[in-house]
């Protein structure tokens, strides 16, 4: 949902390209009318992920999330799609993660990055755009920061060097997905996915799928049942 109807329509179409996601574009008004638009919106009760620009809602953001959640069958995951943030706005990113957002990306990135963020969050991961994540780790965690929040966004130094797609491919491999399945999600060929896997694994010093799964377990990407 966004105030720009062209933007929401474009992202909705992008997410539905491979048929694995059902997406709905919702345009909201600016100012005080936003909450009224949400109250009147026909949001599917089975909706499990919301893409929203938190900057557009300002101090109405928590009220908007309450309205959205009230009509859904389960608590949704949120991705912040921010239009006015800079790489150094790490405090805003921390606040959004604390509020319950599972992803933070800017409107300056390629739309394919939005698709990667959606796939990551649907897999139960937290996706913070690389520029924001690097700014947060360079600044270091606040002394009073929530340790659970710090754990959600922690990266090893080498992980911070992974590109968005390298990180996504490696995590998908750790979840047991094949090159074909990952390529289907990203609209890439299996050969291209294999290239991202190889580059990412090389940066982390990993060689086999077993190494990737082991790293994923140690880093908290996935947990053993």
């Amino acid at each position: 949902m966004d105030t720009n109807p062209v933007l929401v329509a474009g992202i909705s179409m992008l997410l539905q390209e491979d048929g694995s996601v059902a997406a709905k574009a919702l345009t909201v008004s600016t100012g005080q009318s936003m909450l009224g638009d949400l109250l009147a919106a026909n949001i599917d009760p089975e909706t499990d992920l919301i893409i929203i620009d938190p900057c557009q809602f300002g101090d109405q953001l928590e009220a908007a999330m309450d309205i959205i959640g009230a009509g859904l069958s389960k608590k949704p995951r949120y991705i912040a799609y921010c239009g006015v943030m800079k790489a150094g706005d790490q405090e805003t990113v921390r606040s959004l993660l604390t509020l319950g957002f599972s992803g933070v990306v800017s409107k300056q990135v390629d739309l394919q990055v939005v698709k990667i963020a959606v796939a990551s969050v649907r897999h139960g991961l937290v996706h913070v755009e690389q520029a924001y994540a690097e700014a947060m780790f360079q600044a270091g965690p606040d002394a009073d920061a929530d340790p659970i929040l710090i754990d959600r966004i922690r990266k090893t130094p080498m992980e911070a060097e992974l590109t968005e797609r390298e990180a996504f491919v490696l995590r998908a491999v750790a979840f047991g997905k094949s090159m074909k399945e990952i390529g289907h999600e990203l609209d890439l060929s299996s050969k291209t996915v294999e290239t991202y896997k190889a580059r990412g694994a090389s940066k982390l010093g990993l060689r086999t799928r077993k190494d990737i799964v082991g790293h994923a377990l140690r880093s908290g990407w996935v947990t053993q049942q």
Side-chain angles (χ1 to χ4, degrees), residues 7 10-11 13-18 51 79 81 105-120 127 129 164-166 168 182-189 196:
L7 180 66
I11 292 178
M13 291 176 62
L14 174 73
L15 295 177
Q16 297 184 96
E17 280 180 343
D18 62 10
I51 301 175
I79 292 178
Y81 192 39
V105 295
S106 71
K107 291 180 179 176
Q108 283 71 47
V109 300
D110 187 284
L111 287 181
Q112 286 297 327
V113 175
V114 179
K115 193 170 185 178
I116 291 173
V118 169
S120 297
H127 183 105
E129 185 183 323
E164 305 273 357
R165 289 190 176 181
E166 288 167 354
F168 178 81
I182 300 170
H184 184 66
E185 291 188 26
L186 298 180
D187 292 328
L188 299 173
S189 69
Y196 283 119

Side-chain angles (χ1 to χ4, degrees), residues 147-180:
I148 297 177
L149 171 60
I150 294 173
D151 185 64
R152 287 184 77 198
I153 60 176
R154 183 177 286 118
K155 286 185 179 180
T156 66
M158 288 302 293
E159 282 174 38
E161 296 180 9
L162 296 176
T163 66
E164 305 273 357
R165 289 190 176 181
E166 288 167 354
F168 178 81
V169 168
L170 288 180
R171 291 180 178 186
V173 168
F175 273 85
K177 290 185 175 291
S178 67
M179 297 299 100
K180 184 176 180 180

Side-chain angles (χ1 to χ4, degrees), residues 64-79:
M65 294 171 70
D66 288 341
I67 292 173
I68 294 169
L72 304 183
S73 58
K74 63 180 180 180
K75 185 177 180 180
R77 293 188 176 99
Y78 287 89
I79 292 178

Side-chain angles (χ1 to χ4, degrees), residues 80-153:
Y81 192 39
C82 307
V84 295
M85 292 175 59
K86 302 180 294 295
D89 290 342
Q90 58 264 24
E91 291 308 316
T92 301
V93 177
R94 285 196 179 100
S95 297
L96 290 170
L97 294 173
T98 301
L99 193 59
F101 278 77
S102 296
V104 183
V105 295
S106 71
K107 291 180 179 176
Q108 283 71 47
V109 300
D110 187 284
L111 287 181
Q112 286 297 327
V113 175
V114 179
K115 193 170 185 178
I116 291 173
V118 169
S120 297
V121 171
R122 292 182 69 208
H123 287 151
L125 302 171
V126 174
H127 183 105
V128 178
E129 185 183 323
Q130 190 167 343
Y132 297 155
E134 288 175 353
M136 293 173 72
F137 288 105
Q138 288 168 3
D142 293 337
D144 297 328
D146 184 342
I148 297 177
L149 171 60
I150 294 173
D151 185 64
R152 287 184 77 198
I153 60 176

